[in-house]
């Protein structure tokens, strides 16, 4: 009986942590500083609010992700990878980065200067 | 190893593989890598409670490898492998502590561990800590998927319990 209580508690805490964490992650970050990272190296870094519309091709072992910036938003337009997960992730609008695992590519908001209050809030 | 035992393990692996391949055909509405039901793990939780650790590892690793081969997604093998290692490293000791009637709870813990293993592999591959931002989603999906597969395993055990299976 006691064991059951503990197990329920642990699973409940895990679920609750997941729900609260998801809500925190899904809030739109106040920074507009975005970086494109591959294998831990920052390939591009820009401020979306002042960036003009453009497309960027990022290559990895012959496979290409075509990243588009339009109306101060960023997303993956096309990808060579079979699963198309990064394309389906749509526009980058939360702390959860766009990830293309086969091509080791990550597009994420960065904590530039002036975004400290977003963390504290 | 006795032939009977080997046959049982081979059958379990085959059943898990069939479930895995069928699940691949179901379109995933969530564009997050790692969020899935993982129905093949019904077999994993069952095996954890009924077979020796080495035997469970054989069933799971052979299924994961052949699953990636059959599914044609070898690039995801490293993530499923990392997830399975984390899951088994947690579940095999836990199965000694948690009674079989709470198998669905130990299945939840296994699923969450699996997701933590997967995301750790993803962070290592991309070398970007930001990928950990997906952990909360995976915690929620792990709890739900783990509960579902665990309850399925429990139903199977109930069916078996009345018959002289072994």
């Amino acid at each position: 009986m006691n064991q059951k209580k503990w197990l329920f508690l642990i699973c409940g805490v895990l679920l609750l942590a997941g729900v609260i964490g998801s809500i925190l992650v899904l809030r739109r970050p106040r920074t507009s500083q975005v970086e494109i990272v591959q294998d831990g190296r920052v390939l591009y870094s820009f401020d979306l609010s002042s960036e003009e519309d453009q497309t960027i091709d990022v290559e990895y072992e012959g496979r290409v992700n075509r990243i588009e910036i339009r109306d101060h938003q960023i997303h993956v337009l096309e990808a060579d990878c079979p699963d198309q997960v990064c394309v389906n992730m749509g526009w980058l609008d939360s702390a959860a980065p766009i990830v293309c695992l086969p091509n080791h590519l990550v597009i994420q908001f960065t904590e530039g200067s002036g975004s400290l209050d977003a963390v504290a809030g | 190893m006795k032939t009977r035992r080997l046959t049982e393990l081979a059958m379990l692996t085959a059943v898990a593989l069939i479930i895995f391949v069928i699940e691949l055909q179901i379109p995933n509405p969530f564009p997050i890598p790692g969020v899935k039901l993982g129905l093949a793990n019904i077999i994993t939780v069952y095996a954890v409670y009924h077979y020796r650790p080495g035997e469970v590892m054989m069933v799971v690793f052979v299924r994961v490898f052949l699953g990636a081969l059959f599914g044609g997604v070898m690039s995801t093998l490293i993530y499923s492998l990392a997830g399975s290692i984390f899951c088994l490293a947690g579940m095999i000791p836990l199965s000694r502590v948690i009674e079989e009637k709470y198998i669905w709870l130990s299945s939840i813990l296994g699923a969450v561990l699996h997701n933590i293993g997967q995301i750790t592999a993803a962070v290592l591959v991309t070398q970007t800590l930001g990928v950990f931002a997906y952990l909360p989603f995976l915690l929620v999906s792990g709890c739900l998927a783990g509960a579902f597969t665990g309850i399925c395993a429990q139903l199977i055990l109930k069916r078996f319990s009345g018959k002289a299976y072994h």
Side-chain angles (χ1 to χ4, degrees):
Chain A
M1 192 62 214
N2 208 9
Q3 185 194 37
K4 190 181 179 182
K5 233 185 274 176
W6 274 107
L7 283 172
F8 269 113
L9 196 66
I10 294 169
C11 293
V13 167
L14 283 174
L15 187 62
L16 198 66
V19 170
I20 293 172
S22 302
I23 294 169
L24 290 178
V25 166
L26 282 175
R27 290 188 316 174
R28 196 190 165 83
R30 284 180 219 175
T31 170
S32 57
Q33 196 71 32
V34 165
E35 61 183 20
I36 300 174
V37 188
Q38 190 170 58
D39 277 331
R41 286 180 300 121
V42 178
L43 298 181
Y44 301 91
S45 176
F46 25 61
D47 189 352
L48 278 185
S49 58
S50 60
E51 199 66 20
E52 284 171 20
D53 295 359
Q54 57 180 287
T55 56
I56 302 164
D57 285 353
V58 178
E59 201 216 283
Y60 185 83
E61 288 178 354
R63 296 186 298 269
V64 176
N65 291 70
R66 178 158 292 165
I67 298 160
E68 183 189 35
I69 298 177
R70 180 150 48 92
D71 300 330
H72 307 300
Q73 283 184 297
I74 189 165
H75 75 148
V76 181
L77 192 64
E78 295 168 32
D80 281 349
C81 46
D83 54 9
Q84 298 291 307
V85 165
C86 54
V87 177
N88 294 332
M89 280 177 174
W91 301 95
L92 181 67
D93 60 358
S94 73
I98 295 174
V99 185
C100 175
L101 287 177
N103 297 351
H104 298 195
L105 186 77
V106 177
I107 304 169
Q108 61 182 359
F109 283 111
T110 50
E111 304 290 342
S113 54
S115 62
L116 281 175
D117 51 357
V119 179
Chain B
M1 188 184 291
K2 279 204 191 121
T3 313
R4 187 198 158 92
R5 198 77 170 170
L6 189 64
T7 313
E8 279 178 27
L9 292 175
M11 192 201 68
L12 279 180
T13 312
V15 171
L17 198 54
I18 291 165
I19 297 174
F20 180 85
V21 170
I22 289 173
E23 197 188 344
L24 275 183
Q25 305 306 314
I26 306 171
N28 190 343
F30 302 103
I32 302 173
V35 174
K36 59 180 287 191
L37 264 177
L39 291 175
N41 290 316
I42 296 171
I43 304 299
T44 310
V45 276
Y46 173 78
V48 162
Y49 274 87
H50 291 264
Y51 293 88
R52 284 191 284 275
E55 295 169 335
V56 180
M57 284 180 211
M58 278 160 56
V59 169
V60 171
F61 290 139
V62 169
R63 190 262 298 165
V64 166
F65 182 74
L66 288 180
L69 207 62
F70 288 4
V73 280
M74 284 308 271
S75 62
T76 61
L77 179 64
I78 175 171
Y79 309 105
S80 3
L81 216 51
S84 302
I85 291 169
F86 269 58
C87 169
L88 290 182
M91 273 199 89
I92 290 173
L94 277 174
S95 66
R96 305 285 159 83
V97 188
I98 300 172
E99 290 171 57
E100 193 167 350
K101 56 179 169 170
Y102 304 133
I103 195 168
W104 66 280
L105 286 166
S106 94
S107 165
I108 291 178
L109 297 176
V112 168
L113 282 168
H114 186 103
N115 285 146
I116 291 173
Q118 276 179 321
I119 206 159
T120 307
V123 167
L124 291 177
V125 164
T126 60
Q127 298 171 34
T128 310
L129 277 175
V131 176
F132 268 127
Y134 280 104
L135 185 59
F137 304 132
L138 291 182
L139 280 182
V140 176
S141 91
C143 284
L144 299 179
F148 185 79
T149 49
I151 289 167
C152 289
Q154 206 143 24
L155 289 175
I156 291 171
L157 286 172
K158 210 175 275 178
R159 295 289 170 96
F160 277 159
S161 62
K163 302 184 180 93
Y165 175 63
H166 283 294

